Amino acid sequence: MQYGSDVEAADALCQAYKKLRAEIGKVIIGQDEVIKYVLISIFSNGHCLLVGVPGLAKTLLVQTVAQSLHLDFKRIQFTPDLMPSDIIGSEILGEDRNFKFIHGPVFANIILADEINRTPPKTQAALLEAMQEKAVTAAGITHKLTQPFFVLATQNPIEQEGTYPLPEAQLDRFMFNVKLDYPTFAEELQVVKNTTGTTNGEVTPVLNAAQIIAFQQLVRNIPVADNVLEYAVKLVAKTRPAGEFAPPQVKRLLNWGAGPRASQFLVLGAKCHAVINGKYSPDIEDVQAIARPILSHRIVRSYHAEAEGLTAGDIIGQLF
């Protein structure tokens, strides 16, 4: 789809976002913040980690997003015996006695990595190249993945027996770390009413792959004022206890801060947040609106923070 200018394209993205929210809302009740972060990560060409107890419709949310975007969707159930080749694929000897590569489930537009912390680090690492390079390597040959490509992973925070916590290197690949809460009484009442009858919400596709790629490029083209750019970078720098911008409470409450990838995601996310809210350039409020789920999994709390019961979100809030 061609637009006469970036302004027209920004207006089109804003309208498409509203339509997507309406379509997803036919199936997913509540979880407005979660849906917003998932869509921002997609339009910013990032990945998203969803953390929540079982039964909060994490899998259903990802399936519904894929339907509304008319994208190819694959679900990978991560288990302790899952091998890297089960994700990226493997070479087999064909009838012509030549080896050929059989694509694994990672060759899709949207990948649901279900319970990603249930598989060993070797298999978790199989996703690293796919998430960062948008390609996988098998037998020394690099295979490009289908574009657009997103990984939406889920994680159960309460059942930790038999799990393998994600290493910092892999956590850093995720643009957002989004925590899902229980629905309100009214929302749960609506969920039960919708899911115990005979009617199901039908989701109509709003965008296709080519439009999503165009909107991703648009987000990168959005201009950012120098003061907003400096605010985003300084906000990340404040999380580093040994850095020059770290306030006293950070030096006491954090052992480790966020890296440069956090600054990149803050700016990209702020651009997208501005556009979906009808603005043509982000301001400081857009940076603050997305800062917590971008920074929370990139900082390491100290003993003092844990003893005082402070969450990563609480500490980030103090930096505003």
Side-chain angles (χ1 to χ4, degrees):
M1 186 178 294
Q2 297 294 321
Y3 299 102
S5 66
D6 282 350
V7 170
E8 292 180 12
D11 291 337
L13 175 53
C14 182
Q15 293 304 314
Y17 173 78
K18 292 177 181 178
K19 291 179 182 177
L20 284 170
R21 292 294 296 264
E23 290 299 322
I24 296 170
K26 293 178 181 178
V27 178
I28 305 298
I29 307 299
Q31 306 291 9
D32 291 337
E33 285 287 293
V34 178
I35 295 171
K36 179 182 76 172
Y37 292 138
V38 169
L39 292 177
I40 288 177
S41 71
I42 289 174
F43 289 125
S44 302
N45 200 12
H47 308 286
C48 194
L49 178 63
L50 306 177
V51 181
V53 299
L56 295 183
K58 298 186 293 293
T59 303
L60 181 61
L61 169 61
V62 178
Q63 291 174 333
T64 306
V65 168
Q67 291 174 7
S68 65
L69 295 175
H70 199 58
L71 295 176
D72 185 23
F73 165 77
K74 294 285 177 61
R75 178 180 181 270
I76 305 174
Q77 181 63 52
F78 280 72
T79 56
D81 60 348
L82 194 72
M83 298 296 290
S85 59
D86 296 327
I87 297 175
I88 66 176
S90 59
E91 283 198 327
I92 66 169
L93 187 63
E95 295 178 355
D96 58 357
R97 296 188 177 276
N98 290 320
F99 283 97
K100 61 179 179 179
F101 181 69
I102 302 300
H103 289 181
V106 77
F107 285 86
N109 296 123
I110 292 186
I111 303 299
L112 170 58
D114 214 356
E115 293 191 296
I116 192 173
N117 59 330
R118 287 215 168 275
T119 200
K122 181 178 180 180
T123 306
Q124 290 176 2
L127 276 180
L128 285 177
E129 183 184 12
M131 293 172 66
Q132 185 65 26
E133 308 297 335
K134 307 297 173 69
V136 297
T137 302
I141 300 175
T142 300
H143 305 268
K144 291 291 184 182
L145 296 174
T146 308
Q147 296 300 315
F149 175 75
F150 318 108
V151 173
L152 299 174
T154 68
Q155 189 171 304
N156 180 355
I158 60 174
E159 191 181 357
Q160 295 302 322
E161 186 175 345
T163 62
Y164 304 84
L166 291 177
E168 283 70 18
Q170 183 148 352
L171 279 175
D172 198 43
R173 259 55 172 199
F174 289 99
M175 179 177 185
F176 287 115
N177 179 13
V178 183
K179 290 181 170 55
L180 285 77
D181 292 323
Y182 288 109
T184 64
F185 177 79
E187 289 171 348
E188 190 166 352
L189 197 64
Q190 189 63 45
V191 168
V192 174
K193 189 180 296 184
N194 289 359
T195 56
T196 55
T198 56
T199 58
N200 293 315
E202 292 292 331
V203 177
T204 302
V206 175
L207 297 174
N208 57 36
Q211 290 172 311
I212 295 169
I213 292 172
F215 283 141
Q216 288 175 343
Q217 187 58 49
L218 165 72
V219 169
R220 287 190 166 272
N221 290 340
I222 297 296
V224 183
D226 287 343
N227 69 308
V228 177
L229 199 64
E230 291 172 5
Y231 178 84
V233 175
K234 187 173 288 187
L235 182 62
V236 174
K238 284 181 179 180
T239 68
R240 301 165 187 163
E244 59 177 310
F245 297 107
Q249 69 265 32
V250 163
K251 296 180 179 180
R252 189 174 68 88
L253 298 175
L254 294 182
N255 288 335
W256 204 257
R261 191 178 276 123
S263 301
Q264 296 169 336
F265 281 143
L266 267 182
V267 173
L268 280 173
K271 289 182 178 186
C272 188
H273 189 272
V275 173
I276 64 176
N277 284 284
K279 296 184 287 187
Y280 301 121
S281 182
D283 51 31
I284 289 175
E285 286 72 22
D286 291 304
V287 176
Q288 294 177 343
I290 59 166
R292 280 184 175 86
I294 285 180
L295 295 176
S296 62
H297 57 299
R298 294 182 164 89
I299 60 177
V300 179
R301 292 176 300 157
S302 69
Y303 166 78
H304 299 288
E306 294 181 3
E308 295 173 22
L310 293 174
T311 65
D314 295 332
I315 299 170
I316 295 166
Q318 294 179 19
L319 300 180
F320 292 165

